[in-house]
Amino acid sequence: MPVETRSIRDRSAVGRFPSVTLGFGDDTEDENEKTEEDDVKKENACCRWLRKVCPCCCPQPNDSDLTDTVVTGIDDPDKDDGTNDEKPGTGDNELDELLLKVQSIDLMKSKSGVNRMEHHTNLYQRSLPAVSKGTHVIVPLVQELQGDRWEAAVVKQDDKRIKLSVNSLPTAVIGRYQLTVETNGANGQVVSTHDPANDIYMLFNPWCEDDSVFMDSEEERQEYVLNDIGRIYYGTQDQIGVRTWNYGQFDDGILAACLFVLEKSGTPASGWGDPVSVVRIISAMINSPDDRGVLEGNWSGDYSLGTAPTMWSGSVEILNEYQKNNGTPVKYGQCWVFAGVFTSVLRCLGIPGRTVTNFSSAHDTDVSLTTDVYLDENLEPIEHLNADSIWNFHVWSDCWMARPDLPPGNGGWQAVDATPQETSQGSFRCGPASLTAVRNGQVFLKHDCPFVFAEVNSDKIYWQRNVDGTFSQIYSEKKVVGHLISTKAVGSDERNDITHLYKHPEGSAEERIAVETACSYGSKAEAYSSPTAEDISVEVLMDGEGPQMGGDAELTIVLRNSSSEKRNVTLHSRVSVMYYTGVHKSMVRKDETDVEVLPNEEKTFEWILEYKDYKNQLIDQAALMLTLLGRVKETQQVLATQFSFRLRTPNLIIKPIGKAVVGEKMAVEISFTNPLPQVLKAVVFHVEGLGLLPARKISYGDIGSHASVSLTEHFVPTLPGLRKLLASLDCKQLTQVHGVSNINVEDKSNAA
């Protein structure tokens, strides 16, 4: 491909994306340079020799000018090293001495140096080479920096060394920039050879007020950008579980892996300066259905061809494996894994991010903005119509950015989701959806606000089939979706409830207005009915932290009669094993009970599910759902509610043995007691810890019924400070078993 070659001094395309590839002078300049070369050859040999040994006595008549241009990101596809063999500066040509040549470049990139400390990039452990995306930036040398453009100014000159201060635009494309320097003098031009060690990684900058991701709280920046450890919540709203996650955004190779993910998307690098565009790309690329992204989802319960989602404890192993295998999706992930990896990529690229869990999270499949349950004439579920579901929990990510593409007030936290559920503009991705827009029911704003709104604030509507095949709305529940929306607190391991950012208080006038506003844009807007009078209510209660795995599950059902008359209720109950996504697996038990409730009475009775009834049917997360449907004989009032719960699993106990010192061998003891009255087969332990040891799998074998076991792992810490060691256990009979231990590692010099 021919290259347009214009003089750098005459070039007017100063900015991010000049439209031509930098050349090395036009034909006229070549002729002039050749003439100068001929003149040099005619010079007396003694003069040339004298100038070599004593340049002060015999100086070159026309000294070269100080370079006036710095060039970054030059990419000439016709050249391997960015130099021209026909130009001076190679071999032993005596003309080399007459040219102003760059001998070396010092980017001042020491980990403890002022550049990396002030730019908050001192924690990145290594920068690995990546492929340039074809854009280049010309950085002119100026007398004074103005701060609103790419520019460089000399701040110090010492003999043959000059120190430059370089400004970049806050809207600059992120990614890897190749750096070369071009010098121009009376005797010609020279371009320095590209050295990958001098490549520059450009990231979003939440410390820069002009950057779209600017966050003004230093405490929040420390948490949402620089913290490489997090907490992810799971379970049910009544039984919240938590696990520690290694984001590892500064770990060796992770920055290169994150940029590899962007490159694999095939999107033009010119769009990588907009965080809205970047997070939509990442959202699509973390999953694999349509673009062979990072993770392959699997909710089947069979993970024999990969790693069970519950085994992962962090993102480093996943991202490294994806890059190592040249973009082959890693097996397997579920929502918390997709979200954990998403948050790692966000923080690595400089976008403030956090992992968020929504309990009782709805999945709306028809853009109705309601969660619909269809029943036949006998109040039995019509399974093929019940496509909507309510997940016990769902995990996604929030990212922080301005939204100049939306009306004012919609910047700040944005919901983004990489779990492949529904498509957005043809790809499995979701967001960024403004939390402000979601809270106010403004589902007409981009991106994917309707889906996120339904997840956190949709009404659950029950429909019954009529004899003519049509459906009538018989009941609605307004407070069953979107509870205890949780993320890790800033600066601590506590749970932070952020429900108020996603929705107004349940039942408030503001919340009802938001629901009605949103549903007016849904596919069932005309079906939204006004409330009906009710005098019987039903509620399911659970004591304490709930039932444990291996024991009987006990719940309490409460019926309340607010009328002055007796009521007779026929109550249908069924308990089912559920995927945590709210998808039904199998029914465990079904009952029917007639209950008499006296005027103004509150009647309670116990509901018990024995271990023998569920032991062979549980799957991941040990999730169960009790569904109650009933009818009041006197008034024909319909009662309906669903209660999700899980069977709690034990924790792994991790006990450090000996003193933790960088470079010295230490050990930990991992203990576990089997809660089940059956043998656990082919048990596998997984351990890892940033700065402690890389991810490691240990095949343990079988563990007997109610047996207690322990194992000892040895490792050598590599980084000082407070570190977290994570461990998890997996087998066919029991999942979601994990533990964490804080280990304070001393520096070797301090320990001595």
Side-chain angles (χ1 to χ4, degrees), residues 125-137:
Q125 294 184 27
R126 184 180 296 177
S127 296
L128 298 180
V131 179
S132 171
K133 299 304 297 183
T135 59
H136 69 272
V137 176

Side-chain angles (χ1 to χ4, degrees), residues 236-402:
T236 72
Q237 66 187 72
D238 298 299
Q239 299 166 281
I240 296 178
V242 61
R243 64 183 305 159
T244 303
W245 191 266
N246 278 336
Y247 293 124
Q249 68 268 31
F250 304 115
D251 211 57
D252 185 11
I254 294 305
L255 178 56
C258 292
L259 294 179
F260 176 78
V261 172
L262 280 177
E263 292 163 4
K264 289 294 288 185
S265 72
T267 57
S270 58
W272 295 359
D274 177 12
V276 174
S277 173
V278 169
V279 298
R280 280 185 68 74
I281 293 169
I282 298 170
S283 175
M285 284 301 299
I286 297 298
N287 63 66
S288 64
D290 46 21
D291 47 25
R292 290 184 60 77
V294 176
L295 276 164
E296 180 178 329
N298 187 340
W299 288 264
S300 70
D302 179 7
Y303 312 117
S304 57
L305 298 180
T307 299
T310 54
M311 283 292 286
W312 301 115
S313 296
S315 309
V316 173
E317 190 177 358
I318 295 169
L319 288 167
N320 280 336
E321 183 177 336
Y322 181 69
Q323 185 184 27
K324 177 183 176 182
N325 294 328
N326 196 32
T328 300
V330 178
K331 301 178 179 180
Y332 294 103
Q334 291 181 9
C335 72
W336 67 93
V337 187
F338 288 109
V341 173
F342 202 162
T343 300
S344 295
V345 178
L346 289 171
R347 294 185 181 183
C348 184
L349 298 181
I351 302 174
R354 63 188 183 189
T355 306
V356 173
T357 302
N358 178 37
F359 292 97
S360 296
S361 185
H363 181 180
D364 176 26
T365 59
D366 59 0
V367 202
S368 66
L369 296 147
T370 58
T371 303
D372 302 303
V373 179
Y374 293 93
L375 309 171
D376 63 16
E377 297 83 350
N378 299 316
L379 295 179
E380 292 290 334
I382 305 175
E383 297 297 345
H384 70 278
L385 294 181
N386 290 330
D388 291 353
S389 59
I390 299 180
W391 300 22
N392 286 352
F393 71 96
H394 181 47
V395 187
W396 59 74
S397 300
D398 279 350
C399 59
W400 181 273
M401 65 183 65

Side-chain angles (χ1 to χ4, degrees), residues 439-513:
R439 188 171 189 253
N440 294 322
Q442 295 176 325
V443 297
F444 46 85
L445 297 177
K446 59 183 181 181
H447 294 278
D448 308 311
C449 282
F451 188 81
V452 177
F453 178 89
E455 286 182 306
V456 301
N457 206 14
S458 58
D459 286 351
K460 188 173 186 178
I461 299 180
Y462 294 80
W463 304 84
Q464 186 174 26
R465 186 169 59 195
N466 301 316
V467 292
D468 61 358
T470 62
F471 287 85
S472 298
Q473 180 180 336
I474 60 171
Y475 190 72
S476 65
E477 293 182 294
K478 297 178 174 57
K479 299 181 181 180
V480 298
V481 168
H483 294 285
L484 299 175
I485 303 175
S486 303
T487 191
K488 178 188 173 297
V490 173
S492 78
D493 284 343
E494 297 301 312
R495 183 181 66 86
N496 184 22
D497 190 323
I498 58 172
T499 308
H500 63 285
L501 298 181
Y502 277 87
K503 58 198 295 189
H504 294 285
E506 287 282 10
S508 66
E510 295 89 345
E511 188 262 347
R512 285 292 93 193
I513 291 173

Side-chain angles (χ1 to χ4, degrees), residues 594-613:
D594 291 325
V595 184
E596 181 182 83
V597 189
L598 299 177
N600 298 307
E601 181 187 15
E602 180 177 288
K603 175 162 286 189
T604 64
F605 54 95
E606 299 302 313
W607 180 91
I608 299 175
L609 176 66
E610 296 181 355
Y611 172 72
K612 64 180 180 63
D613 292 332

Side-chain angles (χ1 to χ4, degrees), residues 30 52 296 402 416 441 484 496 509 512 532 555 576 607 700:
D30 288 344
K52 283 186 178 181
E296 180 178 329
V416 286
L484 299 175
N496 184 22
R512 285 292 93 193
T532 59
L555 302 174
S576 302
W607 180 91
Y700 186 87

